[in-house]
Amino acid sequence: MLEKQFHCAVEVTVDLIGGKWKPVILAHLKEGVRRYGELRRLMPTTSEKMLVQQLRELEGDGLVRRTAYDTVPLQVEYDLTEEGWSLVPVLTALYEWGEKRAERTGLTFVNVAQ
């Protein structure tokens, strides 16, 4: 297998957290441990298949930890690993920029009940 080659440090970050949903998942997990169902409610416009795929990729990249409890029904929780926590300043900067952009352009956010 060929090792990935990068030409810029930003490529490394985007390779791990790029796309529409990974930064959103990470932003929710920086607020604390979340059950799978909570993430689904917080992200109502993503499909279950996409959420599962993105969570698996984040877990495979060592940014998210999945904990399954031996209960009926199965209870699964997700939280950030130490490597995932190292992204918090990046996620915070993205959040703050998005807030300011929304203010400048008149965007509003849909409130999702937690």
Side-chain angles (χ1 to χ4, degrees), residues 18-49:
K20 184 173 182 177
W21 299 115
K22 286 181 182 178
V24 176
I25 292 167
L26 293 168
H28 287 306
L29 293 178
K30 81 176 180 57
E31 302 302 321
V33 176
R34 300 282 188 179
R35 288 182 170 181
Y36 176 80
E38 287 178 284
L39 289 170
R40 284 284 296 136
R41 283 188 295 280
L42 290 167
M43 301 171 59
T45 58
T46 185
S47 69
E48 191 165 336
K49 177 183 175 185

Side-chain angles (χ1 to χ4, degrees), residues 5-108:
Q5 293 184 343
F6 301 101
H7 304 283
C8 170
V10 173
E11 287 181 72
V12 177
T13 307
V14 172
D15 184 61
L16 285 174
I17 68 166
K20 184 173 182 177
W21 299 115
K22 286 181 182 178
V24 176
I25 292 167
L26 293 168
H28 287 306
L29 293 178
K30 81 176 180 57
E31 302 302 321
V33 176
R34 300 282 188 179
R35 288 182 170 181
Y36 176 80
E38 287 178 284
L39 289 170
R40 284 284 296 136
R41 283 188 295 280
L42 290 167
M43 301 171 59
T45 58
T46 185
S47 69
E48 191 165 336
K49 177 183 175 185
M50 181 58 69
L51 180 57
V52 168
Q53 177 185 333
Q54 299 295 284
L55 284 165
R56 284 183 181 153
E57 289 178 17
L58 288 166
E59 183 183 9
D61 289 332
L63 300 176
V64 169
R65 178 178 21 259
R66 177 184 187 271
T67 306
Y69 296 94
D70 191 20
T71 58
V72 178
L74 182 66
Q75 180 182 329
V76 178
E77 292 180 342
Y78 294 91
D79 65 320
L80 296 177
T81 62
E82 186 175 334
E83 188 72 7
W85 278 107
S86 71
L87 279 166
V88 168
V90 175
L91 298 168
T92 300
L94 287 170
Y95 182 89
E96 290 171 354
W97 187 89
E99 271 190 324
K100 290 174 184 164
R101 169 75 176 170
E103 287 174 14
R104 288 191 301 270
T105 60
L107 291 173
T108 59

